[in-house]
Amino acid sequence: MPGDAEFIADRRRLRRKLSFWRVLAVAALVAVVVAVGLRYVDGAAFGGSERAPHVARVTVEGLITGDRRFSEMLGRISESDAVQGVVVSINSPGGTVTGSEEIFRAIRGLSEKKPTVTFVDGMAASGGYIAALAADHIIARETALVGSIGTLFQVPNFSEMLDSLGVSVLEVKSSPLKAAPSPVQPTSPAAVDAIQSIVDDTFLWFRDLVGSRRPMSAAELNIVADGRVHSGRQAIRLKLVDQLGSHGDAVDWLETERGVGVDLPVREWQPERDRDAFGVFSMASVGAELLGFERLGAMLDRLAGRHEGLKLDGLLALWQPSLQN
């Protein structure tokens, strides 16, 4: 019957379409797997293992925590004969003090072997500014946020809420200051004093770091070390940065001031990840890069390597708008 023939023809066309999309999906999956495999065999993210001379770009973005793979990547860059200079692009409000110190020391070690310039692309506040200080030269956008020199310690306290609910928590401690302050017990003046002494000592470390890395007098240092954040235009007047400009200006500085070869390509370096880290972020990163969205791929790549470690425990060098009235 004509109706049956048309039905059969429609089913055959549908099968052919489904077969086409299945083949396409398998091909795409194979391409992703091959790309991921090449990435891990190569030992570095796309562009990171280029043998030809180039300028390396590394990115410090988002909350800063301890990141061993990032430090190891900087070590590989410092030993690479292909890398002629380094641009450290920073867009970070900071994070933990220890994580910021780790990045600072890693970049300082790198700058002893390769000409290194910082480009503040948005924000280098608190721990982000600690990282920026490690380079030989700091360039910031006019509207970037820079500074916030200071440290803080925060812990929520739920003791009043627990009292209102009729809930008590038993704490047996070896001494009154053990595990203080506690989120479930009122904070004693002695505990506040103990934490304050740590915050003050770490602030002095941060302040002295700025004083040793920036060309300013003691009086000028006192002005900028009050915890506030500044625009790029203000920061250059306060000597927190050396120059206002763009990423291209950072590359130009390497060429004109450090003799890095003219017109060298800029290659994005990214930290290695564990070879078995084939999670959602990993696959999305590769897919984005295959489609030409390199910046999105780089962001997803960093999330893949660090999403399990984004914890802000302990002392912070972090800029954040106040939530208090």
Side-chain angles (χ1 to χ4, degrees):
M1 297 179 62
D4 292 339
E6 290 178 1
F7 175 74
I8 294 171
D10 288 341
R11 286 181 59 85
R12 287 175 178 172
R13 283 193 294 269
L14 179 60
R15 285 198 189 98
R16 285 196 295 270
K17 289 180 180 180
L18 290 176
S19 299
F20 169 78
W21 286 112
R22 284 173 182 150
V23 170
L24 186 61
V26 170
L29 179 60
V30 170
V32 169
V33 171
V34 170
V36 173
L38 289 175
R39 171 179 298 202
Y40 291 105
V41 169
D42 200 49
F46 298 147
S49 64
E50 291 287 341
R51 303 298 191 268
H54 64 276
V55 172
R57 178 176 59 218
V58 298
T59 301
V60 178
E61 190 171 42
L63 295 177
I64 295 175
T65 61
D67 193 341
R68 172 180 55 83
R69 294 185 182 89
F70 186 84
S71 298
E72 290 174 348
M73 177 192 67
L74 296 183
R76 292 194 303 275
I77 293 174
S78 68
E79 299 299 327
S80 172
D81 293 333
V83 176
Q84 307 300 300
V86 182
V87 176
V88 181
S89 178
I90 298 180
N91 186 12
S92 171
T96 66
V97 175
T98 54
S100 303
E101 179 190 359
E102 178 186 2
I103 290 181
F104 171 82
R105 298 194 183 283
I107 295 175
R108 284 300 304 141
L110 171 62
S111 67
E112 292 174 359
K113 296 183 178 181
K114 307 286 184 182
T116 305
V117 58
T118 291
F119 168 55
V120 182
D121 187 11
M123 178 182 294
S126 292
Y129 188 62
I130 291 175
L133 288 170
D136 306 322
H137 192 74
I138 303 177
I139 298 176
R141 295 192 187 278
E142 293 188 61
T143 55
L145 296 179
V146 180
S148 186
I149 299 168
T151 57
L152 72 153
F153 184 94
Q154 292 180 326
V155 59
N157 190 283
F158 304 104
S159 58
E160 292 186 9
M161 182 185 70
L162 293 177
D163 288 342
S164 66
L165 295 175
V167 177
S168 62
V169 178
L170 174 65
E171 281 190 346
V172 180
K173 304 192 291 187
S174 58
S175 62
L177 294 180
K178 176 64 178 175
S182 167
V184 295
Q185 299 289 351
T187 303
S188 68
V192 173
D193 290 342
I195 297 300
Q196 186 66 58
S197 69
I198 297 175
V199 172
D200 291 344
D201 183 68
T202 311
F203 165 66
L204 289 177
W205 170 82
F206 191 172
R207 183 181 181 278
D208 291 344
L209 191 66
V210 177
S212 67
R213 296 294 300 162
R214 301 303 305 163
M216 59 179 67
S217 65
E220 291 170 328
L221 180 58
N222 287 335
I223 292 174
V224 300
D226 63 355
R228 76 181 70 183
V229 70
H230 309 275
S231 71
R233 286 159 55 90
Q234 294 172 324
I236 195 166
R237 293 196 297 267
L238 295 169
K239 302 181 181 179
L240 291 170
V241 303
D242 299 296
Q243 180 182 340
L244 298 178
S246 64
H247 179 272
D249 293 315
V251 176
D252 290 342
W253 182 87
L254 289 173
E255 296 176 354
T256 59
E257 300 297 329
R258 289 296 184 268
V260 174
V262 178
D263 296 330
L264 284 178
V266 178
R267 307 291 187 189
E268 182 82 28
W269 281 65
Q270 298 169 21
E272 289 183 4
R273 296 198 305 273
D274 292 336
R275 294 177 182 273
D276 59 351
F278 289 90
V280 173
F281 288 119
S282 302
M283 303 300 283
S285 169
V286 175
E289 288 174 339
L290 287 173
L291 293 173
F293 300 104
E294 295 183 358
R295 195 168 183 82
L296 175 61
M299 181 185 71
L300 292 169
D301 194 53
R302 286 189 293 274
L303 286 173
R306 299 179 59 192
H307 71 281
E308 294 181 355
L310 293 179
K311 298 179 181 178
L312 292 179
D313 296 329
L315 204 61
L316 305 180
L318 176 67
W319 179 82
Q320 56 186 3
S322 175
L323 298 179
Q324 299 178 348
N325 295 327

